[in-house]
Amino acid sequence: MAQDSDSNEVAKKLSTLNVNAMEFVPGKFSPAPAAVQTAAAATAAPSGTTTRTSTAATPTPPSSSAPTPMERDADPVQMPENNESEPLDSWDAEEDSILTPEDEEMELDDVEADGETAPKVSKKKPPKVEESRSKKEHVNVVFIGHVDAGKSTIGGQIMSLTGMVDKRTLEKYEREAREKSRESWYLSWALDTNQEERDKGKTVEVGRAYFETEKKHFTILDAPGHKSFVPNMIGGAAQADLAVLVISARKGEFETGFDRGGQTREHAMLAKTAGVKHLVVLVNKMDDPTVNWDLERYNECKDKILPYLKKLGFNPLKDLTFMPVSGITGQGLREPIDASTCPWYQGPAFIPFIDELPSLNRKTDGPFIMPIVDKYKDMGTVLMGKVESGVAKKGTNLLVMPNRTQVCVDQLWSDDEEVTSVGPGENVKIKVKGIEEEDVSPGFVLCDASNPIKTGKIFDAQVVILEHKSIICAGYSAVMHIHCAAEEITVKALICLVDKKTGEKSKTRPRFVKQDQVAIMRIECSGLICLEQFKLFPQMGRFTLRDENKTIAIGKVLKVVE
């Protein structure tokens, strides 16, 4: 009797739990389903119990594992087909060595996984990852120009118009700005977040924000305009795809910015050197009483700056656009300018225009490369930067170069939204395990562990001397800005001069080079830096040289010597 009551109680308990007991203890209640048996067979196989595999399905293991070596041999044969279309790209021969290690690793993984289920899993994973990744195309826009041209105000106004800053916050900024009798500065406070920048009205660090349109996701990089902070501006321009040069139409302000000593010229040139494809020139402050949407003043500014931009290499038909706007009122930024205000301009507004620009070709299949712009500590080490090539996912093992520290990706954010995968063009924060924050410096590069980026101390480069009063000879030193790194360099030797028009190289070694000349020189850095040949990877192979607060030369890496 006691036994009966016990078994009844067990039955009652199970019924009240309302669970399928078979799921929990399959062996106790009924024979396990076929799927469970095969799974058990698969897990038992590696541990050495041969009997079960032979009884479960004798033919399958040999047939699934036998072809894999052949598959490995077969795959490289197909590889050239993929790469045949790519010799046009400047990566050519290097492409194979860049892509194959990853492919081989995948093949090896498949062999190790043993059986048909493994490849299926690897095929299913990427779509899931895509879901938690931003689907829109990412475009990084840097606002550049002379101090006080209105860069931060335009950035703040765009964020207000696209709803990225709520009305309440802006009202608070306006109230605070009025208290400091700086009414016209309140919009810039959306991007100038620290107290020093707000008090002085000068941007120091590169401000970051983002906004979205129906098609694209834009990251705003608000660069400082003051000449003391040009190194910071270069770091911002190095991450940009599109540059917006803001010039002030107000009487006297345009001239100060554009004349020698102003920052307009230098910023435009640095943007071109940083590899920006398209330049939009916003003629700001058109609503100013001294201008009042005057066509003559607009044309005067445009005609003065156009020859200089052409000289830099911007093509007015393809990659250069001029627009009249007012940052403080927002006219011409999101909606076209009212015909009653400005009857002579019928062109598009700024945001719709950049939204319609053609897509950029991103390098998704290359190895992962992200120059580190900034870092901070937050329950681990967080690295910031723009992904230049490749894809990184949660759990990926990467290398921090040049100190070759292996790290593991812990968390990823693309413009403050947490994602599980990031790709080229995205401005990201990556939390990594395996390195301390103090062991990382801006200019280091986070890259693929199987295919790390080149590092070197001595390299040959082609250099164009832009503006330098005296001559440059062996032993000359300056500061080099390459991607996000700034390093002191010394000219070791001058190799030859290059004719600007014909591209011919001189037979004899020059004793010196001067302004407007192009030379190939050997350069030595004070420390080890990450760099690549320009023709293989332009983003990591172009640089600027600065001395005495001026940009004196631009150049490209031809060969890493050691």
Side-chain angles (χ1 to χ4, degrees), residues 3 8 13 24 94 115 158 166 184 206 217 248-249 269 285 332 349 369-370 377 391 412 415 439 460 480 482 498:
Q3 270 186 333
N8 285 346
K13 273 179 186 167
F24 285 85
E94 293 286 318
I158 287 171
D166 57 38
S184 63
V206 174
H217 175 109
S248 165
M269 181 201 57
K285 306 192 185 181
I369 293 174
M370 184 194 94
K377 219 179 195 149
V391 175
L412 297 156
D415 272 327
D439 297 333
D460 290 349
M480 173 178 74
I482 182 163
V498 181

Side-chain angles (χ1 to χ4, degrees), residues 84-392:
E84 257 170 12
S85 60
E86 266 151 64
L88 299 173
D89 217 303
S90 52
W91 283 76
D92 25 73
E94 293 286 318
E95 188 92 89
D96 298 354
S97 62
I98 280 164
L99 294 177
T100 16
E102 290 183 346
D103 292 358
E104 274 187 338
E105 266 180 53
M106 266 177 63
E107 298 289 64
L108 286 166
D109 289 348
D110 292 359
V111 175
E112 283 164 10
D114 189 58
E116 285 158 35
T117 45
K120 276 181 194 164
V121 173
S122 69
K123 273 179 197 163
K124 271 182 196 168
K125 262 189 181 169
K128 278 186 189 170
V129 171
E130 293 296 324
E131 289 309 306
S132 73
R133 185 175 152 188
S134 171
K135 287 205 180 84
K136 293 180 180 176
E137 186 192 354
H138 280 245
V139 180
N140 298 283
V141 186
V142 67
F143 283 83
I144 55 173
H146 189 65
V147 66
D148 276 346
K151 299 179 291 299
S152 302
T153 300
I154 288 176
Q157 184 67 266
I158 287 171
M159 287 172 68
S160 159
L161 293 170
T162 51
M164 297 311 290
V165 179
D166 57 38
K167 223 171 179 180
R168 241 192 184 150
T169 314
L170 277 177
E171 281 167 6
K172 180 179 149 236
Y173 290 161
E174 199 169 359
R175 209 169 43 248
E176 287 172 9
R178 201 177 295 120
E179 281 165 16
K180 294 185 176 180
S181 55
R182 297 272 188 266
E183 293 89 350
S184 63
W185 288 3
Y186 78 98
L187 282 163
S188 68
W189 287 11
L191 286 154
D192 291 347
T193 46
N194 77 37
Q195 208 48 52
E196 184 198 354
E197 291 181 328
R198 290 181 174 187
D199 291 345
K200 292 184 177 172
K202 282 193 184 89
T203 307
V204 178
E205 297 291 331
V206 174
R208 284 163 195 280
Y210 62 93
F211 69 95
E212 286 194 345
T213 58
E214 281 174 29
K215 294 181 188 170
K216 294 177 185 170
H217 175 109
F218 291 95
T219 301
I220 297 176
L221 299 159
D222 175 35
H226 199 275
K227 63 169 178 271
S228 311
F229 309 121
V230 170
N232 295 359
M233 175 263 158
I234 295 172
Q239 303 165 66
D241 305 303
L242 167 73
V244 179
L245 179 63
V246 182
I247 56 176
S248 165
R250 189 183 278 166
K251 279 270 185 287
E253 273 190 16
F254 167 72
E255 287 73 11
T256 344
F258 185 64
D259 292 343
R260 296 222 171 258
Q263 257 20 67
T264 307
R265 288 166 188 260
E266 187 174 14
H267 277 210
M269 181 201 57
L270 289 167
K272 184 68 183 169
T273 315
V276 165
K277 304 279 184 293
H278 199 107
L279 183 73
V280 179
V281 182
L282 294 185
V283 184
N284 188 24
K285 306 192 185 181
M286 288 296 291
D287 60 321
D288 190 80
T290 63
V291 185
N292 208 5
W293 300 95
D294 178 24
L295 175 62
E296 271 180 37
R297 177 63 175 163
Y298 173 77
N299 283 338
E300 185 188 347
C301 297
K302 185 177 167 180
D303 295 343
K304 272 187 185 171
I305 202 167
L306 193 59
Y308 180 73
L309 296 176
K310 276 187 192 165
K311 191 177 140 193
L312 289 179
F314 287 107
N315 181 341
L317 302 172
K318 284 193 303 189
D319 41 21
L320 195 54
T321 315
F322 285 81
M323 289 180 182
V325 296
S326 161
I328 199 86
T329 63
Q331 287 163 290
L333 289 177
R334 194 176 186 189
E335 302 297 328
I337 304 164
D338 195 57
S340 59
T341 312
C342 179
W344 47 266
Y345 181 74
Q346 270 87 43
F350 173 66
I351 297 173
F353 173 78
I354 59 172
D355 201 24
E356 291 301 327
L357 283 174
S359 288
L360 303 141
N361 53 337
R362 305 284 195 191
K363 193 151 190 55
T364 43
D365 54 357
F368 182 77
I369 293 174
M370 184 194 94
I372 298 164
V373 180
D374 209 351
K375 44 65 193 264
Y376 61 89
K377 219 179 195 149
D378 179 17
M379 318 270 288
T381 305
V382 181
L383 309 175
M384 292 163 70
K386 174 192 164 195
V387 181
E388 292 292 1
S389 139
V391 175

